[in-house]
Amino acid sequence: MLVPRMDKIALVIVMMAVVVVAMVVGGIYLAMSGGGGGSEGGGGGGGTNPDIAGATSLQFSAELTTKGHPPITYKYSASNIGTSSMVLRIDVTGSQANFVYIVNRAQETAWAYENNEWTDISPDFPTQWNTWNSTWTDYRNGLLSWTGSGNWTYTEPNGVSVRIYDIVVNPSLADSLFQPN
């Protein structure tokens, strides 16, 4: 069934609101607790504090698990960090989720991929940018205390378990990753 364009945009906005609420609660928790921490293996470099704050590109996965529900994974890729040409790609996967979002600050464009179809959601660019950049920034700020090895894990006050893993600082990311194809 084809969903009219405005219904798709409304669906994306509702999904973003849910993500924002979860991230705000997690951000508040992190700010109050001083960050997460665990080292379950996996994850990035060799145990030296990587320069997350100075990174120009960053890639990581965030797995969110709620009791009684299958996990949802968000893979974040960011390039040109800290500039007016920053671009984000978020791949969302789970048992009932399979979406991709691309938000390009320089071009003020936003794209969503669902059901094997790209949809231009650029008319909603300000909301998309604010939502995804805020969420990404919360995770990035939490990673400032990451030691460079293992995963970063914590539990939000609402019971959502968060695991950040596959953290790569300054990866070489192809421009095509940030284009709807």
Side-chain angles (χ1 to χ4, degrees):
M1 177 173 123
L2 292 175
V3 178
R5 180 183 170 115
M6 289 308 294
D7 288 346
K8 285 183 181 181
I9 291 174
L11 176 63
V12 169
I13 290 170
V14 169
M15 290 173 40
M16 296 301 93
V18 170
V19 170
V20 167
V21 169
M23 294 305 106
V24 167
V25 170
I28 291 169
Y29 172 77
L30 287 174
M32 295 175 71
S33 69
S39 59
E40 306 171 352
T48 60
N49 288 335
D51 184 14
I52 298 285
T56 57
S57 64
L58 184 62
Q59 194 170 48
F60 59 85
S61 294
E63 181 183 77
L64 281 64
T65 306
T66 304
K67 186 175 180 178
H69 299 282
I72 296 176
T73 301
Y74 298 84
K75 181 177 181 179
Y76 289 87
S77 301
S79 187
N80 303 320
I81 297 170
T83 71
S84 61
S85 60
M86 184 172 165
V87 63
L88 290 169
R89 178 183 172 118
I90 305 92
D91 293 83
V92 185
T93 56
S95 67
Q96 296 182 0
N98 189 12
F99 306 98
V100 178
Y101 298 96
I102 297 173
V103 188
N104 185 317
R105 185 175 180 193
Q107 298 174 1
E108 294 190 4
T109 57
W111 291 87
Y113 182 79
E114 177 186 11
N115 297 325
N116 298 317
E117 181 181 343
W118 283 101
T119 302
D120 183 355
I121 54 174
S122 297
D124 193 39
F125 171 78
T127 300
Q128 295 298 318
W129 176 256
N130 290 336
T131 298
W132 288 114
N133 184 51
S134 174
T135 303
W136 177 85
T137 299
D138 287 345
Y139 284 136
R140 179 185 161 270
N141 288 344
L143 287 171
L144 292 174
S145 61
W146 178 59
T147 63
S149 66
N151 301 322
W152 175 54
T153 62
Y154 64 95
T155 301
E156 296 177 349
N158 63 1
V160 174
S161 174
V162 179
R163 178 175 69 107
I164 310 294
Y165 62 101
D166 290 343
I167 305 161
V168 183
V169 180
N170 287 324
S172 178
L173 301 172
D175 290 340
S176 60
L177 182 66
F178 302 101
Q179 300 293 323
N181 27 8

